[in-house]
Amino acid sequence: MPDAVADAGAAQLVANPFAAWLMLIEELALPPGAWLAQSAASSALGRLVIQLARLRGIRTINLVRRREQIATVRSWGGDEVICTVDDDAVDRIRAITGGAGVAAALDAVGGATGTELAKVLGQGGVMLVHGVLDGRSISVHPGWLLSKGAALRGFWLRHWFARTTPARWWPWRRTCLR
Ligand SMILES: NC(=O)c1ccc[n+]([C@@H]2O[C@H](COP(=O)([O-])OP(=O)(O)OC[C@H]3O[C@@H](n4cnc5c(N)ncnc54)[C@H](OP(=O)(O)O)[C@@H]3O)[C@@H](O)[C@H]2O)c1
């Protein structure tokens, strides 16, 4: 990075935009109109996901853990925002999606929140697990995954960098950050 860019800002230009783009566009490749649910939606990464999703016509259901984050996440363009302290996320997401569940989920939390997101995956749904903020396990009945044909998959940017050459990611980075 040029010296004119402060380290804190420069750090934001690398990990989160890359992760948001790769998960949403390359890993999930959702069509316009699809529902995507995400936890820790008030994070810097959550904000990028919301903005990218809007550009692609993907609708977002955003989980936050504090009431005051609802208005903020709406102002970023989140279609639906659920405070996990006040609401049953599973019931709300099923109602929002007309019972079908979401096409995909991004989970940075795990524990009860990650479990709720896994439960609302629709037919063939995919959940990318990219964080462990809660520290506890996700609990999913195997019959649930089986009947939905759903999948839980880990995502770590470090793995992507390890298998991707600079020749590929430099031009791509310019496009992503434009
Ligand atoms: N796998 C990858 O390659 C990759 C790449 C980039 C980022 N990430 C992950 O993405 C997540 C967000 O990163 P960021 O830099 O955008 O973070 P950030 O801006 O610092 O925001 C952290 C967010 O997480 C929420 N949070 C923290 N602990 C929580 C918990 N136990 N339950 C629910 N919400 C919780 C915070 O909510 P409060 O404001 O209420 O505290 C805040 O909204 C992190 O888990 C990070 O590791 C993963």
Side-chain angles (χ1 to χ4, degrees):
M1 296 301 296
D3 288 344
V5 180
D7 287 350
Q12 282 300 319
L13 286 177
V14 182
N16 283 332
F18 266 85
W21 179 281
L22 289 168
M23 289 195 287
L24 195 64
I25 310 299
E26 298 213 353
E27 296 278 322
L28 296 174
L30 300 174
W35 280 110
L36 168 79
Q38 66 165 340
S39 57
S42 60
S43 63
L45 178 71
R47 182 177 187 169
L48 288 159
V49 166
I50 290 168
Q51 291 170 337
L52 269 176
R54 274 196 95 76
L55 288 171
R56 297 283 170 138
I58 297 160
R59 298 177 289 176
T60 59
I61 303 175
N62 300 280
L63 271 48
V64 296
R65 64 172 176 176
R66 289 186 285 120
R67 261 172 236 146
E68 59 270 30
Q69 293 165 331
I70 295 176
T72 307
V73 172
R74 281 225 177 89
S75 76
W76 295 344
D79 293 290
E80 302 280 349
V81 189
I82 299 169
C83 177
T84 50
V85 174
D86 294 332
D87 274 325
D88 183 317
V90 172
D91 285 351
R92 282 281 312 280
I93 294 173
R94 285 195 182 134
I96 290 164
T97 58
V102 294
L106 298 177
D107 181 42
V109 174
T113 299
T115 298
E116 287 169 343
L117 284 181
K119 280 185 180 165
V120 296
L121 288 174
Q123 205 64 42
V126 175
M127 179 159 106
L128 296 183
V129 175
H130 66 93
V132 293
L133 290 168
D134 179 275
R136 282 173 289 184
S137 300
I138 292 170
S139 171
V140 190
H141 194 282
W144 182 259
L145 295 175
L146 182 155
S147 65
K148 292 280 176 189
L152 309 187
R153 199 161 80 225
F155 174 86
W156 200 11
L157 195 54
R158 175 186 283 246
H159 293 153
W160 187 83
F161 276 118
R163 65 175 187 264
T164 307
T165 61
R168 159 141 157 71
W169 64 260
W170 267 107
W172 176 89
R173 176 181 177 278
R174 274 200 297 276
T175 309
C176 172
L177 299 178
R178 199 165 45 213

